[in-house]
Amino acid sequence: MTNSLNIAKFGGTSVATYEAMENCARIVVANKATRIVVVSAQAGVTNHLVSMAHTPLTSEQIETTCQAIVDIERAVLDKLADKDSVAGKLDDLFDELRGLAFHEEILHRDDLKDQLLSMGERMSSLLFSAVLAEQSVPTLNFDVRKVLRTDDVYGEAAPQLEDIATLATRLLRPEIERAIVVTQGFVGADSQGKTTTLGRGGSDFTAALLAEALDGDTCEIWTDVTGVYTTDPRIVSAAYPLPELSFEEAAEMATFGAKVLHPATMEPALRKDIKVFVGSSKAPEKGGTWIMRNCEHEPPYRAITRRKEQVMVTVKTPKMMYAQGFLQQVFAIIAKHKLSVDLVTTSEISVSFTLDNPANSVAQRLNKATLAELETICDVTVEHGFDLVTVVGNHMQTAKGVSSKIFAAVHDYNLRMICFGANPHNMSFLVNHQNSDDIVQKLHRELFE
Ligand code: ADP
Ligand code: ASP
Ligand code: MG
């Protein structure tokens, strides 16, 4: 066994089938430093769970949805050489799944919703540990809730770093000495032991948090693309993988919509200087992207990201010219309701800001209570139908000609808001949703092709 420690995370498509899991198992075994494996739910499973947790369903619909999940899990079980060691445990999880789905439908409790959402990872980690064991290595399925302590904001729980470090050192460290530990991404538990979740796509964050807690050297994010690309290859077919990225660039990309990394993934990596690799579990031989503190090159343009479903809120008061505390009041309300604002512009009598409001997010961000409270101090207008396009790079505010090249590329389009100058790594525009594919494509052509 080497002394270095790697944490490998496999996303939903990487563990979608038995064969996909076999690819992942080979990747795990090939790197002797890998002692912890973090898995997502199998592709589609969390979406099924979210639909049960967040939409009113009939008993029949719940049954059908549970069955769809069971079918995905059973397809893997059926291919295991030694089904018996897992079948009983999987059946227990199916019972828990059905029980929770019906229970939640009646009680609508947030803690039950998170318990329900956690089932995907709990099932996939059980199955993956069995697939990994077929590679003749000692494996162990570990319940991440023993160490991944969070607050109790169900649906978007925040990790408690000190507790995680203490618990992981006490409970997880001894296990990795004797086996490769397979555990769940996305899932945590609060101080009362109730199950929580970290927000959609949160398994990347789990991997980075465990790497931080155990002083890992590297963290691998294995997914369905061969690294982080110049932009989402689903929008631009000419996008290409980047061999290297700095922590800051990757953090900007993740925050501004590069779905390949959960927005918070880079925080632990940056704190502990842990190198992060992103690659394809289907084609590990093709390499991928290394994300690290110091890159060899710091180009002005590195990548373009797009985040959909943005909401623009404009608050306006004729009294603003005189009321110096207005901005402070607006932001106090935003902070109280835990909204995270991205872009802000101000004029003499109004302030506009944008919020991320994706339909499939676990928590509804812009809710009636927030609007009602804002309306007590000003007029509020809410506009939907926007996307946020961001160019990520380096030294952007000090390099000459950076903005003119970007503006030239998008001159045909209406930009509703522009944000530039607050940090050297990005320039963001709020654009109409129907133009955002074109804008990303055009920018990509001008800046990268
Ligand atoms: P996983 O299930 O493995 O976590 P995700 O679907 O969350 O995978 O993330 C991978 C997807 O992220 C890719 O299929 C790709 O469409 C999308 N993506 C968005 N932006 C980028 C980018 N800049 N580079 C690579 N992939 C990106
Ligand atoms: N299974 C969770 C989701 O689909 C977490 C993840 O895949 O990272 O959002
Ligand atoms: Mg993901």
Side-chain angles (χ1 to χ4, degrees), residues 47-223:
N47 286 348
H48 283 310
L49 294 167
V50 168
S51 78
M52 290 198 286
H54 292 276
T55 29
L57 298 179
T58 62
S59 303
E60 211 179 358
Q61 287 169 318
I62 294 176
E63 269 305 339
T64 312
T65 311
C66 286
Q67 192 55 48
I69 295 172
V70 167
D71 291 347
I72 294 171
E73 311 298 328
R74 282 242 170 87
V76 178
L77 180 77
D78 287 344
K79 295 199 170 163
L80 288 174
D82 174 21
K83 290 192 206 43
D84 297 343
S85 63
V86 177
K89 289 181 198 160
L90 195 60
D91 279 339
D92 289 346
L93 291 172
F94 292 159
D95 289 344
E96 191 175 338
L97 167 71
R98 285 207 175 83
L100 278 166
F102 281 101
H103 217 73
E104 190 285 325
E105 194 63 37
I106 298 163
L107 298 175
H108 301 296
R109 274 189 2 225
D110 289 343
D111 59 325
L112 289 179
K113 289 188 201 300
D114 263 11
Q115 218 180 318
L116 183 58
L117 292 186
S118 76
M119 295 306 299
E121 271 72 8
R122 291 178 59 207
M123 294 184 287
S124 65
S125 62
L126 175 65
L127 289 167
F128 187 75
S129 57
V131 175
L132 183 59
E134 292 183 350
Q135 301 282 325
S136 308
V137 286
T139 65
L140 190 144
N141 184 24
F142 183 86
D143 189 338
V144 83
R145 293 173 296 183
K146 291 198 244 173
V147 299
L148 214 291
R149 178 65 57 80
T150 68
D151 65 13
D152 59 2
V153 180
Y154 300 108
E156 259 179 17
Q160 311 285 294
L161 302 180
E162 276 179 27
D163 291 340
I164 295 172
T166 311
L167 292 166
T169 305
R170 183 149 52 88
L171 304 171
L172 186 52
R173 165 85 59 199
E175 303 290 20
I176 66 174
E177 306 295 334
R178 61 188 184 93
I180 300 177
V181 171
V182 179
T183 195
Q184 308 81 38
F186 178 58
V187 176
D190 66 15
S191 58
Q192 295 182 25
K194 285 191 176 168
T195 304
T196 57
T197 60
L198 302 176
R200 294 303 308 265
S203 299
D204 305 325
F205 192 23
T206 306
L209 286 166
L210 293 180
E212 176 178 37
L214 291 179
D215 280 321
D217 302 280
T218 50
C219 177
E220 296 170 348
I221 307 288
W222 294 98
T223 179

Side-chain angles (χ1 to χ4, degrees), residues 6-15 20 23-24 27 38 204 219-229 233 241-245 259-261 265 275-291:
N6 177 50
I7 286 82
K9 176 262 172 177
F10 296 94
T13 46
S14 299
V15 293
N23 288 338
C24 301
I27 290 172
V38 172
D204 305 325
C219 177
E220 296 170 348
I221 307 288
W222 294 98
T223 179
D224 60 355
V225 280
T226 50
V228 180
Y229 283 51
L242 297 160
E244 58 163 28
L245 271 180
K259 190 183 166 227
V260 63
L261 292 169
T265 313
K275 282 189 184 176
V276 176
F277 173 81
V278 180
S280 162
S281 65
K282 259 189 275 170
E285 72 288 351
K286 288 193 177 154
T289 303
W290 276 104
I291 306 170

Side-chain angles (χ1 to χ4, degrees), residues 310-351:
Q310 306 301 294
V311 179
M312 177 161 145
V313 181
T314 303
V315 294
K316 189 170 171 185
T317 169
K319 294 186 221 104
M320 187 174 170
M321 278 182 291
Y322 315 107
Q324 299 197 334
F326 178 63
L327 263 186
Q328 192 196 347
Q329 277 179 291
V330 168
F331 283 97
I333 294 170
I334 289 168
K336 181 177 151 194
H337 292 269
K338 297 201 164 80
L339 297 180
S340 144
V341 166
D342 291 310
L343 267 50
V344 184
T345 55
T346 60
S347 78
E348 209 170 12
I349 58 160
S350 61
V351 183

